[in-house]
Amino acid sequence: MALSTTPREEALAQLTTIGFDADDTLWQNEQFFRMTQDHFAELLKDYAEPAHLEERLLAAERRNVGHYGFGIKGFTLSMIETAIEVTEGQVPAAVISDLIAAGQEMLRHPVELLPHARATVEALAGRYRVVLITKGDLLDQERKLAQSGLGDLFDGVEIVSNKTAPVYAEIFARHGGGAGQAMMVGNSMRSDVIPVLEAGGWGVFVPHDLTWALEHDAAPVGHPRFCELPDLGALPDLLERL
């Protein structure tokens, strides 16, 4: 007599594709933004308190993300804009030059893989279609993927301007049997979990100690396709348990 299965087990049996976020899921990213932001605060300490400067910078990033997209270039432009605002147009040219240099240094920073990143992708690459799904500046994301040494493990790479439910639906339709048979793994509740759940897929949240404020969102506790893990190393075991 065949054992009955639950809808959850049936859905997992049909899982064909696993998407991985890149920044702060597979390799370090936000820590370099924080280091640069600390330098930014030091440069402008005579004009604004660090907390106020951080608030103004975040507001600029929120305004500008629709114009510049996500990534270092937009961050650099937002720092320059904030510097002009808090100094009432009196920011020294040397400070502007320093901020540009700081952004360029971020673009040259070597990639640092997070713990378990390589082992986890390698473990799943032979069992599922694995796809890198990241947003941000095309050239910078391509650079980081090349330096990571993980590129050959992915069946596909998708660098998008934003992560939304329609974007995930389109990607997983091309890389497998659709969102219903796909799982997305990442550190951003807003970008890696919520929209893929809306598209009908699985969302696995792997928190990072540093996550940009614009990527925060409430956890969809109780959603049948939502899981949270302490680190990437727990993902293969999660799939086995489920």
Side-chain angles (χ1 to χ4, degrees):
M1 179 177 177
L3 295 176
S4 62
T5 59
T6 66
R8 182 183 179 91
E9 290 169 334
E10 290 175 356
L12 275 165
Q14 299 172 0
L15 187 66
T16 64
T17 308
I18 298 180
F20 285 92
D21 171 53
D23 294 336
D24 294 321
T25 297
L26 296 178
W27 51 68
Q28 297 283 10
N29 181 63
E30 181 64 20
Q31 71 174 20
F32 307 125
F33 283 81
R34 300 293 178 93
M35 291 167 58
T36 302
Q37 192 166 322
D38 289 343
H39 180 57
F40 177 54
E42 179 65 22
L43 287 173
L44 294 171
K45 63 182 180 180
D46 293 336
Y47 301 94
E49 293 295 325
H52 177 65
L53 192 63
E54 180 179 358
E55 181 181 316
R56 296 288 291 272
L57 176 58
L58 183 60
E61 291 181 281
R62 195 185 301 275
R63 290 193 307 270
N64 291 335
V65 70
H67 301 294
Y68 307 140
F70 298 88
I72 293 170
K73 294 175 184 176
F75 174 65
T76 302
L77 289 170
S78 292
M79 284 195 297
I80 293 171
E81 180 180 318
T82 303
I84 293 170
E85 289 179 351
V86 300
T87 63
E88 298 181 347
Q90 301 303 307
V91 58
V95 171
I96 300 296
S97 178
D98 203 332
L99 293 176
I100 292 172
Q104 292 173 340
E105 177 61 27
M106 291 176 71
L107 289 168
R108 290 191 296 267
H109 203 285
V111 170
E112 297 179 14
L113 288 181
L114 285 164
H116 313 295
R118 174 175 290 280
T120 297
V121 177
E122 287 179 338
L124 300 181
R127 298 164 51 193
Y128 303 92
R129 294 183 185 90
V130 291
V131 182
L132 184 74
I133 307 175
T134 182
K135 64 184 181 183
D137 180 78
L138 176 64
L139 293 177
D140 190 36
Q141 294 301 87
E142 287 180 337
R143 174 190 68 85
K144 288 189 283 190
L145 177 59
Q147 289 188 8
S148 74
L150 301 178
D152 291 342
L153 297 174
F154 293 104
D155 296 294
V157 175
E158 300 283 345
I159 301 174
V160 299
S161 59
N162 204 356
K163 292 176 175 177
T164 64
V167 167
Y168 280 120
E170 193 274 333
I171 288 173
F172 288 130
R174 287 189 288 105
H175 296 283
Q181 297 180 334
M183 174 181 284
M184 182 64 189
V185 182
N187 74 297
S188 169
M189 195 69 73
R190 178 163 295 177
S191 295
D192 302 321
V193 175
I194 302 298
V196 80
L197 293 178
E198 292 173 350
W202 292 80
V204 176
F205 180 57
V206 183
H208 187 279
D209 290 340
L210 300 174
T211 298
W212 189 31
L214 297 188
E215 297 293 352
H216 293 176
D217 212 331
V221 178
H223 193 292
R225 290 196 166 199
F226 168 66
C227 300
E228 180 173 342
L229 299 177
D231 56 57
L232 271 182
L235 182 59
D237 287 343
L238 170 69
L239 292 169
E240 291 293 339
R241 292 199 311 273
L242 291 176

